[in-house]
Amino acid sequence: MLFRQFFDPLSSTYTYLLASAPGREALIVDPVKEQVPQYLQAVEQLGLRLVRAIDTHTHADHITGLGDLRDASGCVTVMGAQTRAECVSQRVGDGEVLEVDGLRLQALYTPGHTDDSFSFVLEPGRPRAVFTGDVLLIRGTGRTDFQNGDPQRSWDSIVNRLFRLPDETLVYPAHDYKGWTVSSIGEEKRYNPRIAGRGEADYVALMRGLKLASPKLMDIAVPANLACGQPKAA
């Protein structure tokens, strides 16, 4: 399998490019608008054809590259069924499987960070990895205080959905702020300080007490991302 991980330093966002092999059809997860030229360069140099661009949720800290990638490559833009982004070409439901030239990604509805958050499991028959967006981070979890986030739904998504995956399943989040690039379900069960050794009530109280400042680009990013990162036509 071909796998590439990209990093946007301004928003600490990870973007993932996947294909079954060089020269094949490909998909990309959580692209950042400013990094689109880099993705397209990789696609060209690897001889790929980009056919799907996926956002795990409506991001509040960067502008998505979905629209720019769609215009440059003709790819289908994908988000979960709950998204309010009318520009998205395909909305996937919980349990739905996307198939791209030998790769399979299963959509899991994992709300809590936002109410439109999805995770995507690579090869769901024998899970190899899961792209968790912001709901589950490496040794952390996504905030739950905007875009209809909810700490109880976050707990349920993590503990009763993601933690049901095999322990060896690799965890690839949409962000990291400490330089970690990958974890696993087993690691997060044991070492995630917001989850390990806690009950649901403890987690809810912790998340409600964080009192975090709003993301700097939130007022710009959310409206832009509802338009797939592009200006609305006049």
Side-chain angles (χ1 to χ4, degrees):
M1 186 188 77
L2 186 150
F3 175 88
R4 297 291 184 271
Q5 184 178 39
F6 300 91
F7 183 68
D8 176 62
L10 183 62
S11 61
S12 297
T13 300
Y14 284 127
T15 299
Y16 305 95
L17 177 69
L18 294 88
S20 57
R24 307 290 291 268
E25 292 181 345
L27 61 87
I28 196 166
V29 180
D30 286 331
V32 176
K33 186 179 182 72
E34 289 79 6
Q35 302 298 329
V36 165
Q38 182 177 212
Y39 311 145
L40 293 175
Q41 180 183 27
V43 166
E44 179 182 6
Q45 292 179 350
L46 293 166
L48 302 172
R49 186 165 75 88
L50 188 65
V51 297
R52 292 285 190 279
I54 301 168
D55 263 351
T56 54
H57 63 290
T58 302
H59 294 276
D61 48 15
H62 68 268
I63 297 177
T64 182
L66 287 191
D68 289 354
L69 287 170
R70 177 194 59 210
D71 290 353
S73 70
C75 68
V76 173
T77 54
V78 181
M79 290 187 72
Q82 288 76 9
T83 183
R84 287 173 288 280
E86 296 181 359
C87 57
V88 172
S89 305
Q90 181 179 4
R91 292 169 170 80
V92 293
D94 184 44
E96 188 171 341
V97 175
L98 296 171
E99 298 194 33
V100 174
D101 200 7
L103 289 180
R104 303 178 81 242
L105 276 184
Q106 184 179 40
L108 291 183
Y109 184 42
T110 50
H113 171 61
T114 67
D115 61 358
D116 66 349
S117 292
F118 269 72
S119 300
F120 291 86
V121 179
L122 178 63
E123 304 303 337
R126 297 182 63 182
R128 299 175 59 177
V130 57
F131 302 94
T132 56
D134 288 13
V135 67
L136 176 63
L137 306 175
I138 298 174
R139 308 300 192 265
T141 61
R143 60 191 297 171
T144 59
D145 57 339
F146 58 70
Q147 291 195 82
N148 298 314
D150 184 305
Q152 291 173 308
R153 297 185 86 184
S154 173
W155 172 272
D156 182 67
S157 292
I158 295 168
V159 173
N160 297 321
R161 303 224 68 188
L162 295 174
F163 281 2
R164 299 286 176 87
L165 294 169
D167 281 359
E168 61 271 20
T169 307
L170 297 177
V171 172
Y172 288 106
H175 297 282
D176 189 81
Y177 306 97
K178 298 179 181 179
W180 295 73
T181 58
V182 62
S183 182
S184 71
I185 291 296
E187 285 180 55
E188 295 310 311
K189 285 180 180 178
R190 292 189 294 272
Y191 303 122
N192 192 308
R194 291 188 178 177
I195 299 291
R198 295 182 183 270
E200 181 178 354
D202 290 338
Y203 178 77
V204 169
L206 170 69
M207 298 305 289
R208 287 180 175 165
L210 290 178
K211 309 301 181 185
L212 300 172
S214 295
K216 293 179 181 178
L217 293 179
M218 183 173 176
D219 291 342
I220 297 171
V222 171
N225 290 338
L226 293 176
C228 290
Q230 295 184 318
K232 290 186 177 180

